[in-house]
Amino acid sequence: MKNQSLMTKLLALCRARGFLFPSSEIYGGLNSCWDYGPLGVQLKNNLKRAWWTDMTKRRNITGLDSSIIMHPKTWEASGHLEGFTDPLSDCKDCKNRFRLEDSCCPHCGSSNITKSRNFNLMFKTFMGPVEEDSSLVYLRPETAQGIFVNFLNVQKSMRLKIPFGIAQIGKAFRNEITPSHSIFRTREFGQMEMQFFTPPEESDKWFEYWREEREKQLLSLGLTFRWKDHSSKDLAHYSKKAGDIQFEFPWDWDELEGIHHRGDYDLSRHQKFSGKKLQYFCPEKKISYTPYVIETSIGTGRLFLALLCSAYKQEEERVVLKLSPHIAPVQIAILALSKKTDLIDLSQKIRVDLEKKYFVDYDDSGSIGKRYRRQDEIGTPFCVTIDFESLEDKKVTVRDRDTMKQERISIDSLPSFFLKSF
Ligand code: GAP
């Protein structure tokens, strides 16, 4: 790993400040499972909201929330039953089981390993009280299939004309052989996916369009990244062409988001396996056809981790998370300098006013220096300190997280000050 210490420090901060905890920790944890703490869930919800707004603010993108467990035929049609596998090997010396990427064991280096066999990554379970083959179901390995099977339901109920898109945020599950880097590769994870249905002849144009749109949104969150296009041998079974947006994580550049040109693969396969027509009737041309699909797909946890890695700064006298003010879990901290009743009353009044529009934290204990450090570590863009003079001059001190500059501002002008700052 290029920067092991950054990852270690970041995870320690996440735990100490309530962003991330190992799952079921009192029982020793469960490999690759994580819980988002109070600030973690707030940050994650802010990311989801930013993605959802960016997608659904468009007149031709609508939302969906489909179920995690789907009819098992879905996975035959999608190709996941047959093709969603990783090569698995066992080391005859150290007895570890691993995903075969090289010709030797990644744990002990031995080349005394079994021939690789295909391991399907889908989680299985049983529907109902009888555990038999006929009740076998799967936890979805991607949210996309819920969108494909609902293509006509959404199109008809919302009277949509092609091109249009369907956006969905939800959990997906993959029995990864080698989960890694905390929330980067887990077995249970969030996905934010959008499938955009286009006439076949316009699909290349929309593929380029969505690459640019996704760039814009990630840049607005303060991320820098690079593209890695897939060669034909790296393409997933459903893809005609694809590009990954990669972020420089502490270990290396790695995949953050995928943009895939899925052609008519999914809709055609679902038509074939269900025997139901999944075609669009174009009222202008008076023809029916199977649209092509451009997909954007990003892991919620991966975006969360990338943003934290990019925001984490170790400065001479402090650690600070320079998160974009729009997504910070706490946007404004109200700090009353003492517990004197008048001061607390005034501080609470300011808190109640600002809370109508912003995520606000309130703190009136401990030294002001320590309180500033804590807010820096959780990425709070502004602190508002109420002191004894505030009672006289009706002014407060606003501290900027990034410059640490302090400004005396009248209480009345706080709303316009923050309107400019967010
Ligand atoms: N529907 C297309 C699809 O699922 P993918 O490249 O397999 O494509 C899309 O996954 C995104 O989902 C990835 O770019 C990544 O952000 C996220 N992702 C995939 N597997 C993951 C895992 N095991 N843990 C966390 N995130 C994952």
Side-chain angles (χ1 to χ4, degrees), residues 32 80 84 121 141-145 148 172-176 178-180 182-195 230 236 238 243-245 249 254-260 262 266 295-303:
S32 114
H80 283 84
F84 196 54
L121 300 183
E142 59 172 7
T143 61
Q145 296 304 324
F148 295 126
F173 301 81
R174 298 181 188 179
N175 203 358
E176 301 279 2
T178 41
S180 52
S182 72
I183 54 170
F184 177 79
R185 183 174 293 107
T186 46
R187 294 186 171 120
E188 170 186 342
F189 56 96
Q191 275 190 322
M192 302 190 278
E193 298 201 298
M194 193 281 300
Q195 313 295 324
H230 289 208
Y238 50 75
D244 286 344
I245 294 177
F249 287 98
D254 220 330
E255 178 183 341
L256 173 64
E257 168 157 6
I259 316 291
H260 308 121
R262 297 181 76 126
D266 304 272
E295 169 185 75
T296 76
S297 175
I298 186 164
T300 319
R302 270 191 206 183
L303 180 58

Side-chain angles (χ1 to χ4, degrees), residues 27-296:
Y27 294 106
L30 184 64
N31 187 15
S32 114
C33 296
W34 293 83
D35 296 339
Y36 289 80
L39 293 186
V41 69
Q42 183 67 50
L43 175 58
K44 188 159 72 141
N45 284 344
N46 293 351
L47 297 183
K48 291 202 270 191
R49 192 176 307 109
W51 182 90
W52 186 259
T53 307
D54 186 66
M55 285 294 172
T56 59
K57 70 181 181 199
R58 299 157 206 262
R59 208 179 37 79
N60 62 349
I61 307 255
T62 187
L64 181 75
D65 185 8
S66 67
S67 76
I68 287 174
I69 300 174
M70 299 177 68
H71 194 288
K73 270 218 156 166
T74 308
W75 310 112
E76 271 181 64
S78 69
H80 283 84
L81 257 185
E82 199 183 332
F84 196 54
T85 56
D86 269 349
L88 176 77
S89 285
D90 291 292
C91 176
K92 291 184 190 163
D93 289 334
C94 74
K95 311 288 178 219
N96 267 302
R97 183 164 276 190
F98 52 90
R99 184 177 192 268
L100 188 67
E101 276 159 1
D102 219 337
S103 57
C104 53
C105 170
H107 301 279
C108 71
S110 164
S111 51
N112 190 14
I113 57 176
T114 59
K115 231 172 126 225
S116 77
R117 59 203 179 279
N118 283 338
F119 171 74
N120 194 295
L121 300 183
M122 279 197 296
F123 272 98
K124 293 177 192 159
T125 188
F126 295 97
M127 189 87 136
V130 188
E131 294 195 6
E132 58 184 18
D133 283 355
S134 63
S135 56
L136 185 64
V137 288
Y138 301 89
L139 303 187
R140 66 181 177 200
E142 59 172 7
T143 61
Q145 296 304 324
I147 295 180
F148 295 126
V149 300
N150 276 299
F151 161 67
L152 274 190
N153 285 340
V154 174
Q155 188 264 321
K156 290 195 167 146
S157 58
M158 302 308 287
R159 297 179 300 144
L160 293 167
K161 281 191 173 177
I162 275 182
F164 72 88
I166 305 177
Q168 171 157 232
I169 299 179
K171 287 259 172 127
F173 301 81
R174 298 181 188 179
N175 203 358
E176 301 279 2
I177 300 170
T178 41
S180 52
H181 306 306
S182 72
I183 54 170
F184 177 79
R185 183 174 293 107
T186 46
R187 294 186 171 120
E188 170 186 342
F189 56 96
Q191 275 190 322
M192 302 190 278
E193 298 201 298
M194 193 281 300
Q195 313 295 324
F196 195 74
F197 300 89
T198 89
E201 64 279 9
E202 289 180 17
S203 57
D204 287 334
K205 180 185 88 182
W206 288 110
F207 181 71
E208 294 308 322
Y209 173 85
W210 280 107
R211 284 168 68 108
E212 282 170 25
E213 290 302 290
R214 293 305 303 139
E215 278 187 1
K216 281 188 218 158
Q217 205 236 339
L218 294 177
L219 286 172
S220 78
L221 295 176
L223 278 185
T224 49
F225 47 83
R226 73 176 189 191
W227 281 95
K228 182 168 178 278
D229 288 328
H230 289 208
S231 65
S232 51
K233 77 171 175 31
D234 296 330
L235 285 176
H237 60 272
Y238 50 75
S239 239
K240 275 190 183 318
K241 56 181 176 180
D244 286 344
I245 294 177
Q246 292 190 329
F247 174 76
E248 191 172 20
F249 287 98
W251 56 94
D252 209 344
W253 287 93
D254 220 330
E255 178 183 341
L256 173 64
E257 168 157 6
I259 316 291
H260 308 121
H261 185 313
R262 297 181 76 126
D264 63 355
Y265 176 85
D266 304 272
L267 290 181
S268 299
R269 296 271 296 186
H270 285 302
Q271 284 187 91
K272 185 171 158 207
F273 281 72
S274 68
K276 303 271 165 30
K277 230 174 158 194
L278 286 176
Q279 290 199 322
Y280 170 72
F281 176 73
C282 173
E284 286 83 26
K285 293 187 182 159
K286 308 247 179 302
I287 50 159
S288 291
Y289 65 91
T290 308
Y292 276 17
V293 172
I294 307 302
E295 169 185 75
T296 76

Side-chain angles (χ1 to χ4, degrees), residues 1-12 250 312 314:
M1 186 179 303
K2 281 207 285 199
N3 196 345
Q4 169 81 52
S5 75
L6 167 59
M7 199 62 186
T8 310
K9 284 182 198 162
L10 182 64
L11 286 178
Y312 185 97
Q314 168 98 58

Side-chain angles (χ1 to χ4, degrees), residues 349-387:
K349 192 181 161 301
I350 296 173
R351 174 184 70 79
V352 169
D353 280 349
L354 291 174
E355 236 168 28
K356 290 180 191 139
K357 209 163 167 355
Y358 304 100
F359 301 115
V360 174
D361 190 12
Y362 175 84
D363 191 359
D364 60 19
S365 55
S367 84
I368 193 72
K370 279 198 180 139
R371 283 189 261 168
Y372 282 151
R373 291 292 167 269
R374 177 177 177 275
Q375 296 298 336
D376 286 343
E377 286 188 16
I378 64 172
T380 308
F382 296 101
C383 291
V384 174
T385 304
I386 296 95
D387 56 27

